[in-house]
Structures are given as structure tokens and as C-alpha cells.
Amino acid sequence: MEPQTGDCDDRLGRCEHAGIANLGWPRMDTWRKLSALVEERLKAASSGERGVFAAGVAERLMSWHEALPEDEQAPFTVSLRPLLNSVWEGVLGDSTAFSAVKRGVGEYMLSEYCHNDGQDGPDDADESAAAAALYAAHAYLFGCQEFAAWTSSRAVEAIEQHLECLADQEEDELPVDTDEALASELQRQLRDLDLIARYSKDLRHACLGLPIDTSIRLRVELRAPLSNRE
């Protein structure tokens, strides 16, 4: 999975250094065990909860990408912003967003970016934020656990790629430990799932539509905190 921009984005290096030693696991294995926990939680969650989770992870990756200098942004990735916005509307209870998300996914499927040509085809859709946005759209449309889990994995891969890029540029040892950075991202995802679970009753049938006042409340109480990159 190759990043699509020429330089590293320092914003991806802003990882929390949480007290993961308190978990009682060997540090090298912590992020893998956290990843398994995220997957278990996603399996147990409703399709509505999974859709909101995927949208939140994709939003953070997209906002990181949009914060890059304009000449470092991938045009295909940026073009998916309207699709991600429609995903948000849909997962938070606007049933009319289904058509917009379906159309956006369909346009991707019919484009040159959806192919089976391997390295001979364009890799624009393999940029982390782009892939996460597309996975989030599929999670909303189909409710499958796999799409939400793949969105989670793209955030982990984005941090790995960033740190590898920094390692290539730095002569001294990196100040951020890779395993700790990956664990921090997954801990963030688990906290997001905790928050989302508080709204399970509202989200269980969100795909069928929610009252407007409920959707507005969820935008404030869910979209805002889940979109926060800190």
C-alpha cells in the first residue's frame, strides 16, 4: 500500500503516548491484540454502529489528507469528500443519503480506478484516506463487519507508512515508537466504539431514517468528537 503524496505529513505523527504498559501485555504485541479487540467489538456491534465507526475513521484520514499542502493532495482522494459527507448523513439517520452514496460508489466502480490490473493500473484508490472513504461507503450500504474492519486497518497502515517515511528521512532514531503509535490509534478506535455504543438504540435503525432533531443531535454528539484528529 503506497502513499500517494511525495512528502510525509507531520500531522500523522501526532500520536498519543497512552499508558499501554498498564494493559499487562508485551509491548511488541499490544497493537495486534488491540486490533483483535477492535475486530471483536465490530462483530458484536449493529450495522448502524459499524457505519458510524467507519465514517469516523475515514473522516480523520480524509482531514489529515486535506491538511496537506494543495500540491501534495491526491485529486482522486479529494474528489471523495462529497461521498464521505453523504456517508455521514446516511449513518446519522438521513435515509435520502442512500442514493448519493450508492451513486458515488457506482461511479467509482465504473471508473478506471476500480480494476484488476495490479500494479499496471492506477493506484489512486489505494491511498489510505481514499480507501477508507470507499470502505466507509460500503459499510453504510451493506452493513458488513469486514468493511468497517478494513477502514480500521487503513488508519493503522497510514501511521505505519508515515513512520516508515520518516525513518527514511531521519538519521537519528525516531522519537515515536512504531508499536506504541499503532497501539495509540487502536486505543482511540476502541474509545470511539465506546462512545458510539452509548447511542446504540438510535443507531440500530438509522439506515431506515431518524427524526430530523435526532439526526441533528447525533451530528453534534457523534460526528464532531469522532472527527477530532487529537
Side-chain angles (χ1 to χ4, degrees), residues 79-96:
S79 76
L80 294 176
R81 164 51 75 183
L83 173 61
L84 183 54
N85 286 341
S86 294
V87 171
W88 271 118
E89 294 301 311
V91 298
L92 296 181
D94 182 358
S95 60
T96 65

Side-chain angles (χ1 to χ4, degrees), residues 75-146:
F76 178 73
T77 299
V78 176
S79 76
L80 294 176
R81 164 51 75 183
L83 173 61
L84 183 54
N85 286 341
S86 294
V87 171
W88 271 118
E89 294 301 311
V91 298
L92 296 181
D94 182 358
S95 60
T96 65
F98 185 89
S99 295
V101 176
K102 179 180 67 173
R103 183 167 54 252
V105 170
E107 289 172 354
Y108 159 69
M109 297 290 286
L110 294 172
S111 75
E112 62 180 325
Y113 304 114
C114 181
H115 61 84
N116 62 350
D117 297 327
Q119 294 184 350
D120 293 330
D123 57 1
D124 301 56
D126 196 39
E127 190 280 321
S128 293
L134 290 167
Y135 286 146
H138 281 76
Y140 164 64
L141 291 176
F142 305 112
C144 301
Q145 174 265 334
E146 288 83 0

Side-chain angles (χ1 to χ4, degrees), residues 116-193:
N116 62 350
D117 297 327
Q119 294 184 350
D120 293 330
D123 57 1
D124 301 56
D126 196 39
E127 190 280 321
S128 293
L134 290 167
Y135 286 146
H138 281 76
Y140 164 64
L141 291 176
F142 305 112
C144 301
Q145 174 265 334
E146 288 83 0
F147 290 120
W150 292 338
T151 310
S152 163
S153 296
R154 291 312 300 230
V156 173
E157 289 176 16
I159 291 174
E160 277 190 300
Q161 290 168 356
H162 170 70
L163 294 178
E164 288 172 2
C165 189
L166 284 181
D168 290 338
Q169 295 178 358
E170 297 286 342
E171 295 182 0
D172 298 328
E173 184 177 351
L174 287 175
V176 178
D177 179 89
T178 299
D179 294 298
E180 187 173 349
L182 300 182
S184 180
E185 166 60 29
L186 290 160
Q187 286 176 321
R188 161 66 191 266
Q189 293 183 18
L190 287 168
R191 291 195 300 272
D192 287 350
L193 285 167

Side-chain angles (χ1 to χ4, degrees), residues 1 14 26 30 36 39 53 71 80 85 87-88 106 109 131 157 170 175 178 207 209 217 220 225 228:
M1 305 295 182
R14 296 169 62 184
T30 299
E39 188 168 351
F53 170 82
D71 62 350
L80 294 176
N85 286 341
V87 171
W88 271 118
M109 297 290 286
E157 289 176 16
E170 297 286 342
T178 299
C207 64
R217 174 173 56 83
V220 175
N228 187 348

